[in-house]
Amino acid sequence: MNKKIKWIQSIHFKIPMLFIFMLLVSLQIIGAYFIRQLETKLINNFDTQMSLNLRFLENSLQPVLIDGDEELKESSIQNILQDYIGGDFLEIRVVDDRGYILGTNDQTRQSMIGLKSTDRDVQQAMLLQTDRKYQYLNDDRNSRVWKTVSPIFTTDNTGELIGAIVMESNIETVYSQIMDIVTIFLNASVFAIVITVLLAVIISRGLTRPISEMRTQTANIARGDYSGKVMIYGNDELGQLADTINDLSSKVKEAQETTEAERQRLDSVLKHMSDGVLATDRRGRVIIINNRALDLLDLTQEEAIGKSIMNVLHLGNTFTFRQLLEIQKELILYPTGEETDENILQGEFSVIQRETGFISGLICVLTDITEQEKIEQERRSFVSNVSHELRTPLTSVKSYTESLQEGAWKDQEIAPAFLQVITTETDRMIRMITDLLHLSRMDQGMPQLELEFVSMNDLFGHILDRFEVMFSSEQYRDRNYKIIRDFTQRTLWVEVDQDKMIQVIDNIMNNALKYSPDGGTITCRLMETHNSIVLSVTDEGLGIPRKDLQHIFERFYRVDKARARSMGGTGLGLAISKEVLTMHGGRIWASSIENKGSTFFISLPYEEFEEEEEEWG
Ligand code: ADP
């Protein structure tokens, strides 16, 4: 829409136009009536005046026509008519009762005197014996002419027709008078229109100014600018409207602020939620997604917003959006859509529905259940592991016992061997159950550490001494185990639970022996870094395959189950060690090269122990 049309449609334009239109209509009506009345009046006046003249002339002519000497008649008439030359009179003719022209005041038409008049008006007036008057357009003179034909009668009782007077007068003056008045009227009208337009412009401005101010203010409100106020010019309807707009502005502002605060609150709730949240429109396109959901799905805001929830959650192959709306239960989801995904999510869906039942969107709450699933998985495998681990020794105990029952006890050679097996298996079960109890206590956070400052050099040294003594025993002598100590010179004081730490180091040393069947050198190191001490045990045994390295600290995990079991292992030693070190704020890990050997590391937090200068008096 262009500006011109807008202006034409504006009140600014319409009000003056309305005023002008109304004024023109009234002027038209008044003017038409006035001019018509004026014309009638002026013509009547003219007619009256002419009639007066006619009567006067008639009075003058009557004696001449009745008694006048025939000889002098013409000149007497001519004399009388002389007085009527000029003014509005164009021509005055006098005819006798037979229709012969007796005189005319028109000098150019003196030749007509004595001739019979051909004027039909004269004949008619004399015949009907009444006046005849009318206006006509005289082509010769090119003007409007007022023609009066009046029969003349004798003054006595007989009232005999003695002639007629034809009087033609110029009525143009009346019309020019009318024209003058019309001109004055038109001028006055133009003046009135100008004044009206000016007034209308002022009035319409008075109306449109507050209206356009209100329009600007409402446009500002629509844009979200509530700072302005509409001026109130009076207590009329417009003033009240302005007041209402100001009121509306402040109400909208308040409502906007509340909505904004609400939105911010929702934003911050969504932002800090530990669950992921997605909201879609009714077509399933994502319109809101919080940071947690982006993290869980490994997406950016741009990758998610506006996309279909079916693609974002990789559900497109399993469901349609309609089915998703109807789904009542939680779904297990995978961030990449692959079931092999390490992370597992749980999605809970709820439909956003209006009171009318119209579905306006879907909300999905995502929870990371990876850890939960892992724990659940671990719990399941733990129970099955324990059952399995106990079942094997129990089965062999049972079969040996049965053999003994069936008579083997009588055999002097077999019976002790069988009993030895039963004892070994029972011992292993007891060890396993003791270990499990240990672990279970640690799981429940039961055992408090009995911390004391110990020199790690001494502690480790003593354990190794014990092993060296053991190596010199008959059982180990042939296997040529050798221990190399590589200790730092500094004495490292750490605060540990001595018994538990001995248990850990024992376990590592025992493993080094167990899994180095051909003997070999066991290198034991003790060193320090700026904030920890590191203790390591390196053997030259079988080593641990890379894929198993990260699992050996799990409960019941063994690289080679059969062999480990035959070595009397429970599969719990390293798991217990890990728990002990976690309790100490330390760490345990391993590195290994298959068939070359393994190194187990233990680190413990360490602060340099400042020996106080002891001053004795
Ligand atoms: P186990 O009682 O079976 O030794 P651990 O928890 O002590 O249980 O050890 C778990 C598994 O780690 C062992 O079964 C073994 O397969 C592997 N392992 C531990 N230490 C060594 C080592 N020094 N060399 C090779 N494999 C080892």
Side-chain angles (χ1 to χ4, degrees):
M1 204 182 283
N2 63 36
K3 207 153 183 182
K4 198 169 177 193
I5 290 176
K6 257 189 183 169
W7 185 76
I8 284 174
Q9 286 173 338
S10 75
I11 290 182
H12 221 95
F13 177 77
K14 281 180 184 164
I15 289 181
M17 277 301 126
L18 189 70
F19 272 63
I20 292 170
F21 178 72
M22 285 188 332
L23 189 74
L24 282 178
V25 170
S26 5
L27 284 177
Q28 188 77 27
I29 295 167
I30 294 170
Y33 180 75
F34 173 75
I35 290 164
R36 179 130 305 277
Q37 286 297 94
L38 185 75
E39 190 183 358
T40 320
K41 189 84 189 155
L42 286 179
I43 289 173
N44 279 348
N45 283 351
F46 187 81
D47 178 36
T48 317
Q49 207 191 329
M50 285 306 127
S51 298
L52 270 174
N53 284 325
L54 203 68
R55 292 286 89 81
F56 193 73
L57 181 63
E58 207 175 286
N59 286 339
S60 317
L61 285 173
Q62 261 164 348
V64 179
L65 287 175
I66 297 167
D67 311 312
D69 185 342
E70 282 300 317
E71 297 291 304
L72 294 171
K73 205 187 241 175
E74 269 182 33
S75 60
S76 307
I77 290 171
Q78 206 60 30
N79 273 343
I80 294 169
L81 291 182
Q82 281 306 305
D83 295 339
Y84 294 89
I85 291 176
D88 290 332
F89 305 113
L90 292 172
E91 189 185 359
I92 301 172
R93 255 173 292 145
V94 180
V95 291
D96 64 9
D97 54 343
R98 285 168 298 140
Y100 286 95
I101 297 168
L102 297 176
T104 169
N105 66 344
D106 189 342
Q107 294 304 317
T108 57
R109 306 175 87 170
Q110 291 299 318
S111 55
M112 284 167 65
I113 297 171
L115 296 180
K116 185 153 172 104
S117 168
T118 53
D119 195 336
R120 293 186 61 223
D121 292 323
V122 173
Q123 289 162 9
Q124 228 167 42
M126 287 201 298
L127 194 69
L128 299 173
Q129 300 198 345
T130 51
D131 282 3
R132 191 169 159 71
K133 46 185 145 186
Y134 63 93
Q135 182 186 302
Y136 77 96
L137 189 69
N138 189 313
D139 292 333
D140 298 343
R141 294 197 169 87
N142 198 19
S143 64
R144 275 167 286 209
V145 171
W146 184 254
K147 183 172 182 180
T148 320
V149 183
S150 175
I152 313 169
F153 303 97
T154 53
T155 46
D156 57 13
N157 290 339
T158 55
E160 209 179 308
L161 181 78
I162 47 174
I165 308 172
V166 180
M167 181 183 272
E168 285 191 342
S169 39
N170 188 0
I171 201 170
E172 273 312 322
T173 46
V174 170
Y175 284 95
S176 69
Q177 235 174 343
I178 291 173
M179 272 320 288
D180 286 348
I181 293 170
V182 167
T183 313
I184 292 169
F185 183 82
L186 281 179
N187 285 343
S189 301
V190 169
F191 187 65
I193 287 173
V194 171
I195 296 284
T196 310
V197 168
L198 283 177
L199 277 175
V201 167
I202 292 167
I203 291 171
S204 71
R205 180 158 297 175
L207 280 176
T208 51
R209 210 165 96 198
I211 291 176
S212 59
E213 272 181 30
M214 282 186 259
R215 201 198 60 188
T216 316
Q217 180 59 14
T218 41
N220 285 348
I221 295 173
R223 269 208 318 276
D225 173 10
Y226 310 103
S227 58
K229 280 259 175 281
V230 186
M231 278 271 286
I232 299 169
Y233 291 96
N235 201 21
D236 54 4
E237 287 87 339
L238 283 178
Q240 284 172 0
L241 182 61
D243 197 27
T244 316
I245 286 177
N246 286 340
D247 198 29
L248 179 77
S249 167
S250 58
K251 292 237 167 71
V252 172
K253 186 182 179 187
E254 269 169 40
Q256 187 69 26
E257 278 168 1
T258 320
T259 321
E260 183 61 20
E262 210 55 49
R263 202 183 60 77
Q264 277 174 1
R265 203 171 311 154
L266 180 69
D267 261 9
S268 85
V269 167
L270 283 179
K271 205 172 189 173
H272 296 106
M273 263 177 86
S274 57
D275 286 336
V277 177
L278 299 143
T280 74
D281 61 11
R282 68 194 166 88
R283 293 209 177 79
R285 281 187 301 245
V286 176
I287 46 173
I288 298 175
I289 182 161
N290 71 351
N291 289 349
R292 178 68 181 144
L294 291 174
D295 286 349
L296 289 176
L297 296 169
D298 194 21
L299 292 173
T300 62
Q301 189 92 9
E302 292 73 39
E303 284 168 335
I305 294 287
K307 304 282 153 56
S308 162
I309 189 171
M310 309 308 289
N311 297 340
V312 170
L313 299 181
H314 305 285
L315 286 171
N317 296 334
T318 344
F319 294 105
T320 61
F321 183 58
R322 189 157 289 281
Q323 286 171 327
L324 201 61
L325 290 175
E326 283 158 13
I327 232 160
Q328 296 292 330
K329 58 179 180 19
E330 295 111 22
L331 291 181
I332 297 294
L333 307 165
Y334 300 92
T336 53
E338 306 290 327
E339 287 203 17
T340 48
D341 200 320
E342 268 182 28
N343 296 322
I344 307 165
L345 306 176
Q346 179 179 287
E348 240 175 286
F349 297 87
S350 56
V351 171
I352 318 172
Q353 207 160 13
R354 295 206 192 127
E355 277 171 15
T356 52
F358 179 80
I359 293 175
S360 59
L362 183 71
I363 288 191
C364 168
V365 178
L366 293 175
T367 322
D368 187 352
I369 54 164
T370 315
E371 203 58 30
Q372 205 177 315
E373 274 296 295
K374 213 166 112 193
I375 291 169
E376 190 58 23
Q377 186 61 39
E378 273 172 14
R379 192 189 60 78
R380 281 195 288 264
S381 66
F382 182 72
V383 171
S384 103
N385 278 337
V386 171
S387 322
H388 187 74
E389 292 298 331
L390 288 176
R391 195 189 153 82
T392 321
L394 275 174
T395 318
S396 66
V397 166
K398 188 168 188 285
S399 58
Y400 280 102
T401 324
E402 277 170 359
S403 304
L404 287 170
Q405 269 177 340
E406 282 161 12
W409 62 275
K410 291 183 205 142
D411 192 318
Q412 292 267 331
E413 276 185 21
I414 297 172
F418 276 20
L419 285 171
Q420 183 54 46
V421 172
I422 291 170
T423 315
T424 316
E425 289 297 300
T426 319
D427 277 350
R428 198 150 75 86
M429 282 193 283
I430 291 171
R431 253 200 331 274
M432 191 183 291
I433 287 175
T434 316
D435 280 356
L436 278 172
L437 278 174
H438 266 128
L439 272 172
S440 143
R441 275 203 214 104
M442 280 190 274
D443 282 348
Q444 291 169 22
M446 286 230 292
Q448 292 298 313
L449 292 178
E450 284 172 24
L451 295 175
E452 52 192 311
F453 271 104
V454 269
S455 151
M456 213 22 142
N457 312 53
D458 291 348
L459 185 84
F460 199 11
H462 278 131
I463 297 171
L464 294 184
D465 289 348
R466 203 157 28 78
F467 272 90
E468 274 176 340
V469 171
M470 195 175 86
F471 290 163
S472 55
S473 72
E474 220 173 287
Q475 192 188 349
Y476 283 94
R477 200 173 297 148
D478 309 338
R479 297 179 67 177
N480 295 324
Y481 283 118
K482 206 172 116 205
I483 289 178
I484 295 178
R485 299 180 199 211
D486 180 6
F487 285 14
T488 170
Q489 290 304 308
R490 282 163 63 101
T491 311
L492 305 173
W493 291 92
V494 282
E495 209 180 8
V496 291
D497 185 319
Q498 211 176 163
D499 288 347
K500 292 209 165 56
M501 205 43 76
I502 291 171
Q503 197 186 346
V504 170
I505 299 170
D506 264 353
N507 184 50
I508 292 177
M509 284 303 293
N510 273 323
N511 280 350
L513 300 186
K514 266 196 279 183
Y515 303 107
S516 309
D518 304 330
T521 308
I522 298 170
T523 313
C524 302
R525 294 194 176 87
L526 181 63
M527 48 215 151
E528 61 185 309
T529 69
H530 70 286
N531 62 356
S532 62
I533 66 156
V534 178
L535 184 155
S536 73
V537 175
T538 309
D539 63 47
E540 293 177 338
L542 301 165
I544 306 163
R546 182 179 285 270
K547 67 174 172 46
D548 297 306
L549 258 184
Q550 53 183 337
H551 297 298
I552 53 171
F553 298 96
E554 289 168 14
R555 297 171 190 190
F556 294 115
Y557 193 90
R558 294 170 179 120
V559 177
D560 181 345
K561 282 199 190 327
R563 224 199 33 195
R565 221 174 271 135
S566 71
M567 297 280 184
T570 60
L572 293 170
L574 286 177
I576 293 176
S577 304
K578 190 180 167 196
E579 293 294 334
V580 169
L581 278 151
T582 310
M583 284 166 81
H584 279 89
R587 232 158 52 82
I588 180 165
W589 71 99
S591 71
S592 178
I593 299 172
E594 242 185 308
N595 299 322
K596 283 268 167 65
S598 324
T599 304
F600 280 79
F601 298 90
I602 287 173
S603 83
L604 280 166
Y606 170 65
E607 267 176 52
E608 210 167 316
F609 184 71
E610 304 224 346
E611 272 181 67
E612 281 170 37
E613 297 273 321
E614 281 168 295
E615 282 180 32
W616 299 92

